[in-house]
Amino acid sequence: MIVSLADVSAPPSGPRKSESPFFLMGKVVMQQSYVCALIAMMVWSITYHSWLTFVLLLWACLIWMLRARRHAATLCSPFILLYGLALCCLQYVWAMELQPELPTTVGTMSLRQLGLDRDQYPCLRLGAM
């Protein structure tokens, strides 16, 4: 029986004993985090329905249909973050008591259709977003 030096120094192919189950679970979550992000985008756009969140739904569905969805989600993630942040900032401004200063329509379209309206309890909606 001949054993080469390369066979002795090769690490075992199974999981290492030093890796805990929490580490392995975290590794799986990190590898599949783009799926969680796409699901979160869809849930947000369905929960807070307006034309601005409809764009978010279309964006998530488009990424979901691509073959290289992990790569596409990674490329789009900064823009998705900025878009979500812009939606939250717009909702924050429209939640203030600034009815005389803020417009309610743009042309013939009501801003309520875009999700820009004042709720009775705006902090709850912003906190949920």
Side-chain angles (χ1 to χ4, degrees):
M1 178 175 188
I2 300 174
V3 177
S4 69
L5 195 52
D7 293 336
V8 174
S9 65
S13 61
R16 296 181 199 156
K17 292 181 181 179
S18 65
E19 293 178 353
S20 69
F22 294 114
F23 178 76
L24 293 174
M25 188 172 73
K27 194 175 181 181
V28 169
V29 167
M30 288 303 292
Q31 289 174 348
Q32 300 300 322
S33 64
Y34 73 96
V35 174
C36 298
L38 293 176
I39 291 171
M41 286 169 59
M42 290 180 192
V43 168
W44 187 8
S45 61
I46 291 170
T47 305
Y48 304 104
H49 38 87
S50 69
W51 287 112
L52 292 175
T53 57
F54 181 68
V55 171
L56 203 61
L57 178 65
L58 289 178
W59 201 348
C61 290
L62 180 69
I63 292 173
W64 199 268
M65 289 187 298
L66 294 175
R67 181 177 228 169
R69 63 180 74 103
R70 178 182 290 174
H71 181 68
T74 304
L75 288 177
C76 290
S77 63
F79 303 109
I80 293 168
L81 175 71
L82 291 175
Y83 188 73
L85 193 60
L87 287 178
C88 286
C89 289
L90 280 173
Q91 187 62 40
Y92 175 75
V93 169
W94 255 263
M96 294 181 193
E97 295 183 13
L98 301 172
Q99 280 83 16
E101 290 88 1
L102 294 174
T104 56
T105 59
V106 173
T108 60
M109 184 177 68
S110 171
L111 291 179
R112 184 170 283 233
Q113 293 176 350
L114 293 177
L116 301 175
D117 59 343
R118 189 170 193 290
D119 289 336
Q120 185 177 0
Y121 301 106
C123 293
L124 293 177
R125 186 173 182 183
L126 283 172
M129 281 184 176

